Amino acid sequence: MHAKTDSEATSIDTSWPPRSPPRRPVYYVQSPSNHDVEKMSYGSSPTGSPTHQYYHCSPIHHSRESSTSRFSASLKNPRSLSGWKHVKVGHGGDDVEDDDDDGGEMDGRDECKANNFRLYICLVLLFSLLFTVFSLILWGASKSYKPKIFIKHIVFESIYYQAGNDQSGVPTDMISLNSTVLISYRNPATFYTVHVASTPWELHHFQLKIASGQMKKFTQSRKSGRKVVTIVKGYQVPLYGGIPVLANTGEHKESIAVPLNLTFVMRSRGYILGRLVKTKFYGKIRCIVTLKGNKLGKPLNLTDSCIYQ
């Protein structure tokens, strides 16, 4: 309500103590590790503190202390050693954990195993391919070494013609025949042995079989040959009137002339690489021969009388 004079205002201003400058703000510096004790650096203004004391913590010293404390703690707790992780420093000095290292190691091992498995499969396929090609080459080469078979002659040792009864008791003419056949066999192969067998050797008068025989199996080595004798015979074979020539001759055997066919199949099998690679040869042979009563006991040449298929 009362107006102040200039002298009063001046006295009031001089009596009021002078204002001190504003205090500086307190700031804190925190270590990168969350387990270390926070350090504080405090600075006061020169006017606020008459002694002008500054408290400051060195970051280098703090880092060494925190590292030492972490290492000692890990020695006390063995489980913590197994939990260490790879750490890489990012921008600004921050520590960043590398969680992908373990996964990367496992991925690398799996990829290595997969590569080894693929390599093994490739080697197996390559070996199979090479073995197949090699086997085909050998098999194709073996086909050019076909065994050589020649029918030399046949000898009719004896022939008997008489009346009789078959197994059911029906009366009919009966014939008994004994003969031997000589053949020549040669294996021209240079790198494998052959195993030889045959079907039964049969003598037919048209469709009527009057004698048969079985050749013994044998093995023929490479580039070698042999002669094989097979007995072909029949005993009391019922004719049922199938050979009327014999009925007309009676007791005169010298005048007998009966056309016959000798048929059989030769089977040759060669093992080139064991039983994995083998070659087979089949030869069907048919010879035309005439049974003559005046040629008993004498060889009949069949060299030009046989058909080889």
Side-chain angles (χ1 to χ4, degrees):
M1 293 296 294
H2 300 281
K4 294 182 180 180
T5 61
D6 294 337
S7 61
E8 290 177 352
T10 302
S11 64
I12 292 174
D13 291 337
T14 55
S15 63
W16 192 265
R19 295 182 179 178
S20 62
R23 292 179 180 271
R24 294 184 180 180
V26 178
Y27 62 93
Y28 300 88
V29 176
Q30 185 176 359
S31 172
S33 174
N34 295 328
H35 300 285
D36 297 333
V37 181
E38 296 181 354
K39 303 293 182 176
M40 181 180 69
S41 175
Y42 170 76
S44 60
S45 62
T47 56
S49 178
T51 58
H52 305 285
Q53 294 179 356
Y54 291 89
Y55 297 92
H56 179 71
C57 179
S58 172
I60 298 177
H61 179 68
H62 164 72
S63 176
R64 290 179 180 176
E65 290 179 353
S66 61
S67 301
T68 306
S69 62
R70 284 197 301 268
F71 181 71
S72 60
S74 64
L75 290 178
K76 294 178 181 178
N77 188 7
R79 294 183 180 179
S80 63
L81 292 175
S82 61
W84 284 14
K85 298 181 179 180
H86 296 281
V87 177
K88 60 182 180 180
V89 179
H91 295 289
D94 297 333
D95 293 342
V96 180
E97 293 182 355
D98 190 1
D99 296 333
D100 298 334
D101 285 350
D102 294 340
E105 274 187 34
M106 296 301 295
D107 293 342
R109 293 177 183 176
D110 294 341
E111 185 177 358
C112 183
K113 291 181 180 179
N115 291 335
N116 292 337
F117 180 74
R118 285 193 291 267
L119 179 61
Y120 174 76
I121 293 299
C122 291
L123 290 177
V124 171
L125 293 178
L126 180 61
F127 176 78
S128 301
L129 179 61
L130 292 177
F131 181 78
T132 302
V133 172
F134 180 70
S135 301
L136 288 176
I137 292 174
L138 291 179
W139 180 81
S142 67
K143 288 301 181 180
S144 61
Y145 296 103
K146 186 176 181 180
K148 301 181 183 299
I149 304 172
F150 298 101
I151 310 299
K152 294 296 185 178
H153 62 257
I154 183 171
V155 179
F156 291 101
E157 303 290 345
S158 61
I159 180 172
Y160 298 98
Y161 177 77
Q162 60 186 8
N165 297 325
D166 60 5
Q167 295 180 353
S168 61
V170 177
T172 182
D173 296 331
M174 314 286 287
I175 188 174
S176 297
L177 178 67
N178 187 14
S179 65
T180 58
V181 182
L182 176 65
I183 69 171
S184 174
Y185 186 94
R186 181 170 180 80
N187 175 25
T190 59
F191 56 92
Y192 62 89
T193 301
V194 293
H195 303 267
V196 186
S198 72
T199 59
W201 297 24
E202 296 178 348
L203 279 171
H204 290 82
H205 176 71
F206 297 102
Q207 301 297 325
L208 178 63
K209 182 174 71 172
I210 62 175
S212 65
Q214 182 64 55
M215 184 191 75
K216 293 182 179 180
K217 298 179 181 180
F218 63 92
T219 301
Q220 194 64 42
S221 59
R222 57 185 181 177
K223 299 184 69 175
S224 62
R226 70 171 61 190
K227 292 182 180 181
V228 181
V229 177
T230 303
I231 298 175
V232 181
K233 64 181 180 179
Y235 179 72
Q236 292 186 356
V237 179
L239 298 178
Y240 303 108
I243 307 178
V245 178
L246 294 177
N248 297 331
T249 56
E251 297 293 333
H252 305 284
K253 295 181 180 179
E254 293 80 7
S255 60
I256 295 175
V258 180
L260 300 174
N261 292 323
L262 174 65
T263 58
F264 61 94
V265 177
M266 294 287 291
R267 296 179 296 187
S268 304
R269 180 177 299 176
Y271 297 100
I272 302 174
L273 290 178
R275 293 187 178 272
L276 296 177
V277 181
K278 55 187 177 182
T279 182
K280 299 179 182 178
F281 299 97
Y282 295 93
K284 186 177 181 181
I285 301 172
R286 178 173 176 267
C287 300
I288 300 174
V289 59
T290 301
L291 170 60
K292 294 181 179 181
N294 58 358
K295 296 290 184 179
L296 294 179
K298 298 179 181 180
L300 300 178
N301 191 4
L302 298 178
T303 303
D304 300 327
S305 302
C306 297
I307 301 174
Y308 303 91
Q309 299 177 350

